[in-house]
Structure formats: structure tokens, C-alpha cells
């Protein structure tokens, strides 16, 4: 089985970060989201991966390489514009050939991986297999209606009145039958070729479409809040290690990972925390669930439950929490301006000024 990973979306919910970089390269525990997806595919035994890229394709290629780091062979497929998941399958036709394949959204995070799903797809042939999970607000997702035996009856894309609470979470297994389906459908009202429409076409043609339901954690890292929550989840699984320099005036509590080349001095760090290579933490307090990227500086500040991207600087901040701070961004104290009062006071008034 091959895999097709989608990494060409615009990431509108993560602006302004995605104006200057791919959302799939935003870091989770100092490692790009896309890398976690590729690790998951390799662990499932997949070796041939096509990565669909868009405007930030060059950056993704440079950082991800040919796949050797992950035990994969990666082929990059350029998508001119993000015209839907089914469009991505169309442009990958030559790469996919007549092989079964896994379709995986590159900004999804599944801590349990996809190995079990891949095994089911290999053991029980179907034209398509969908991974679903119950959600509180299914109207925000593609939704599947499934019978008692796990057969998919109907799919809807972000319906106003959902027929079920089972949402598609961005992992699909397809047979070559999907290629006829994506050729048969027309663009939706939003101008995209929807994968839900392609799968519905398969259902309507009488092809076997199966559903697998999971209640394990899953996140679409499409917003700052989701990024912070996935970062928290990944940090919960790290082991502490100190390869950089920590002076005698600093205290590390719990699982703290200090990369080679990082410096911690005069600071208190409570894990789980990762501090990237070249970062400096000085006279500061760093609280749990914080990732400090490479070459960052944190001075005279308190930071907790936050992600600092490469080269970010935080200085003189009394408390920062639940924050996502971009590459090379600077957070510092505002200048203290002279304070004065300008008054126009009527007759017989009384004004009381605070010192």
C-alpha cells in the first residue's frame, strides 16, 4: 500500500503563521506536524509516499527531503491551487498507479497512529474505508451515516442538519476504484472536488465502502488552540534529557529536554518542556507544556503552556500562557511613558487623582 499525504492547504485558520510558511511545518514539541504524520506511516509499514504540496512546496521539500530520515521514499506532487481532496487524488494518478493507498491529511495528529487501520484495510478488501470519530459538533465536518454492520450509507460535507455524529477525520484507505469516482464528480458549491462526493459516488454505484470508528484522541492542528493541545499531548510522552548547559542556579523539575547547544541559567523549568538547540533561557520561569524552539531567547520572563517558534524572543514578560509565538517574533516590555493629567474642570468641581 502507498500513501498520499496532503500538505498543500492554505491554513487560513492559522494566519498569520501560514502567510510565511506551511501549516504542516509548524512544530509540535519542536518537530513539524508533517513529520509526526510521516512517522506514523512508516510505523504502519508503508514505504512509498506521495506528498501533495502547494505554495510552500519548496520549504517542505527542503526540510523533509527524500524521506530517508523516516524510512520512506517520498515523491512530491505539485498542486497549483488547493482545489479539494479529490483533486489531489486526480493529480496523483500516475504516482498511485493501480495500487491501494492511504489518503492522509498532513496536518492531522493521531497519537495511536494508523497501523491498525492499515492492517484492517489489507485484511478486508473494500473500495474505500473511512476512519470516523464521534464529535460534539458534526456540522463542522464531513459526516458519515453508517449501518449496524459498518457499511457507509451516505456522506455529507458540513451538513446543517447532520444525520449522525460520526465525523471523517482525514484518514482514508482506497482501492483503484476511487480514480473513476474522482473523474466522475463535479466541483462543489465552494469550487472544490470533495472527497466526500467521490466516496458517495462509490456508494451509489454499489461499491463496498466500510467505516472504522475510533474514540481515541485525534486533532486537526488547524488552529492555534489545537496546536497547543497537540503540543501538550506530545510533551506528555517525552523523556527528560540534558544535553545542553544548565547552570548551578537553575532548577529543572520533571521531564525537561534541553537540546545540545541550549543554555539555561538562573531559571526554574517545570516539565514537560522541550528547549531547542541554540535557545537561551535566562532568569526566567518556564512552566509545563511549553516548547521553546531553536535559537529562541527567554529572559526575565514567565512562560507556560506555549509554543515558541524558531528565533522567537521573549523578554521582561511577567506572564505568558496559552500562546503561539512565531518565527523571529519579539515580545518585550512597553516603554514607560511619562504620565500627566490634562483637565478641563467646571466651577466648584472636585477631582481626586491617584498617585
Amino acid at each position: 500500500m502507498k500513501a498520499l499525504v496532503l500538505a498543500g492547504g492554505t491554513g487560513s485558520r492559522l494566519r498569520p503563521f501560514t502567510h510565511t510558511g506551511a501549516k504542516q511545518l509548524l512544530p509540535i514539541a519542536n518537530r513539524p506536524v508533517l513529520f509526526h504524520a510521516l512517522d506514523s506511516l512508516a510505523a504502519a509499514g508503508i514505504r512509498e509516499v506521495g506528498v501533495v504540496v502547494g505554495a510552500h512546496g519548496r520549504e517542505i521539500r527542503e526540510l523533509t527531503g527524500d524521506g530517508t530520515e523516516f524510512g520512506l521514499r517520498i515523491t512530491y506532487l505539485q498542486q497549483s491551487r488547493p482545489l479539494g481532496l479529490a483533486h489531489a487524488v486526480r493529480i496523483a494518478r500516475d504516482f498511485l498507479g493501480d495500487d491501494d493507498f492511504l489518503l492522509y491529511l498532513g496536518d492531522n495528529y493521531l497519537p495511536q497512529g494508523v497501523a491498525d487501520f492499515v492492517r484492517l484495510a489489507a485484511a478486508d478488501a473494500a473500495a474505500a474505508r473511512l476512519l470516523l470519530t464521534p464529535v460534539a459538533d458534526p456540522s463542522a465536518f464531513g459526516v458519515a451515516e453508517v449501518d449496524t454492520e459498518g457499511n457507509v450509507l451516505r456522506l455529507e460535507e458540513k451538513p446543517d442538519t447532520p444525520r449522525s455524529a460520526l465525523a471523517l477525520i482525514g484518514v482514508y484507505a482506497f482501492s483503484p476504484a476511487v480514480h473513476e469516482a474522482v473523474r466522475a464528480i463535479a466541483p462543489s458549491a465552494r469550487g472544490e472536488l470533495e472527497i466526500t462526493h467521490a466516496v458517495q459516488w462509490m456508494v451509489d454505484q454499489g461499491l463496498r465502502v466500510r467505516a472504522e470508528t475510533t474514540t481515541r484522541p485525534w486533532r486537526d492542528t488547524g488552529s492555534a488552540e489545537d496546536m497547543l493541545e497537540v503540543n501538550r499531548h506530545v510533551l506528555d510522552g517525552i523523556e527528560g534529557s540534558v544535553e545542553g548547559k544548565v547552570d548551578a542556579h537553575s532548577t529543572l523539575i520533571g521531564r525537561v529536554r534541553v537540546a545540545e547547544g541550549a543554555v539555561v541559567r538562573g531559571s526554574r523549568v517545570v516539565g514537560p518542556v522541550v528547549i531547542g538547540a541554540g535557545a537561551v533561557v535566562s532568569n526566567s520561569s518556564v512552566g509545563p507544556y511549553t516548547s521553546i524552539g531553536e535559537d529562541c531567547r527567554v529572559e526575565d520572563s514567565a512562560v507556560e503552556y506555549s509554543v515558541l517558534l524558531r528565533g522567537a524572543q521573549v523578554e521582561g514578560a511577567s506572564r505568558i500562557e496559552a500562546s503561539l509565538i512565531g518565527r523571529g517574533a519579539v515580545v518585550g516590555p512597553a516603554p514607560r511613558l511619562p504620565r500627566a493629567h490634562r483637565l478641563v474642570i467646571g466651577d466648584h468641581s472636585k477631582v481626586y487623582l491617584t498617585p
Side-chain angles (χ1 to χ4, degrees):
M1 180 178 282
K2 292 178 179 177
L4 187 64
V5 177
L6 306 189
T10 58
S12 57
R13 289 183 295 152
L14 275 167
R15 291 172 180 162
F17 302 100
T18 50
H19 283 310
T20 55
K23 65 177 178 177
Q24 294 83 6
L25 295 182
L26 289 173
I28 299 297
N30 285 358
R31 201 157 184 265
V33 174
L34 177 61
F35 288 15
H36 292 278
L38 296 175
D39 286 340
S40 178
L41 295 175
I46 293 173
R47 293 294 173 261
E48 292 282 347
V49 177
V51 178
V52 177
V53 297
H56 300 294
R58 181 176 178 180
E59 182 186 10
I60 292 174
R61 287 185 178 94
E62 288 176 351
L63 279 176
T64 310
D66 63 3
T68 302
E69 174 186 343
F70 310 94
L72 303 171
R73 292 183 294 275
I74 293 179
T75 299
Y76 292 97
L77 306 163
Q78 187 70 41
Q79 189 178 32
S80 58
R81 287 189 296 143
L83 296 174
L85 307 191
H87 179 262
V89 175
R90 275 194 186 185
I91 68 170
R93 181 68 179 91
D94 290 343
F95 165 75
L96 295 169
D98 291 325
D99 293 313
D100 292 345
F101 68 96
L102 192 78
L103 181 65
Y104 193 117
L105 272 62
D107 56 354
N108 274 9
Y109 175 71
L110 285 81
Q112 74 274 17
V114 294
D116 290 344
F117 184 73
V118 168
R119 278 194 291 270
L120 281 169
D124 181 23
R129 187 174 299 269
L130 318 178
L131 188 58
L132 310 174
T133 192
V135 296
D137 180 17
S139 64
F141 299 88
V143 175
E145 185 180 356
V146 180
D147 69 15
T148 55
E149 296 181 353
N151 298 303
V152 175
L153 303 177
R154 185 178 286 103
L155 292 177
E156 298 175 287
E157 186 65 33
K158 299 181 180 178
D160 293 332
T161 308
R163 294 174 180 268
S164 85
L166 294 175
L168 297 157
I169 61 175
V171 179
Y172 311 78
F174 287 117
S175 76
V178 73
H179 298 300
E180 184 179 0
V182 299
R183 288 195 304 270
I185 61 173
S188 65
R190 60 178 183 168
E192 296 188 3
L193 292 172
E194 311 285 358
I195 199 67
T196 48
H197 292 179
V199 177
Q200 184 63 53
W201 184 91
M202 298 167 83
V203 172
D204 294 341
Q205 297 301 308
L207 299 176
R208 187 167 185 253
V209 178
R210 298 284 294 166
E212 304 298 336
T213 303
T214 181
T215 56
R216 292 181 178 181
W218 156 80
R219 283 280 175 173
D220 164 13
T221 57
S223 69
E225 292 77 12
D226 287 331
M227 288 288 297
L228 292 170
E229 181 59 19
V230 173
N231 188 67
R232 181 196 66 78
H233 192 281
V234 174
L235 288 180
D236 262 335
I238 69 166
E239 297 293 333
S241 63
V242 177
E243 298 176 3
K245 296 180 180 179
V246 178
D247 74 2
H249 302 290
S250 296
T251 302
L252 306 185
I253 300 171
R255 291 171 289 113
V256 177
R257 182 180 295 170
V258 182
E260 184 177 358
V263 175
V264 178
R265 52 177 177 251
S267 297
R268 185 174 189 267
V269 183
V270 180
V273 167
V274 293
I275 300 173
V280 176
V281 177
S282 178
N283 300 320
S284 295
S285 172
V286 178
Y289 302 115
T290 299
S291 293
I292 297 173
E294 294 181 0
D295 301 321
C296 288
R297 297 186 70 86
V298 179
E299 298 183 11
D300 303 316
S301 299
V303 181
E304 182 174 335
Y305 187 59
S306 294
V307 174
L308 279 63
L309 276 63
R310 182 171 188 161
Q313 298 182 45
V314 176
E315 181 180 353
S318 58
R319 185 172 181 82
I320 288 178
E321 62 180 31
S323 298
L324 185 58
I325 299 175
R327 290 177 288 264
V330 177
V331 178
R336 293 189 176 182
L337 300 175
R339 212 165 68 172
H341 302 283
R342 182 174 182 271
L343 308 173
V344 177
I345 301 174
D347 297 346
H348 310 298
S349 297
K350 292 182 180 179
V351 177
Y352 302 93
L353 301 176
T354 59

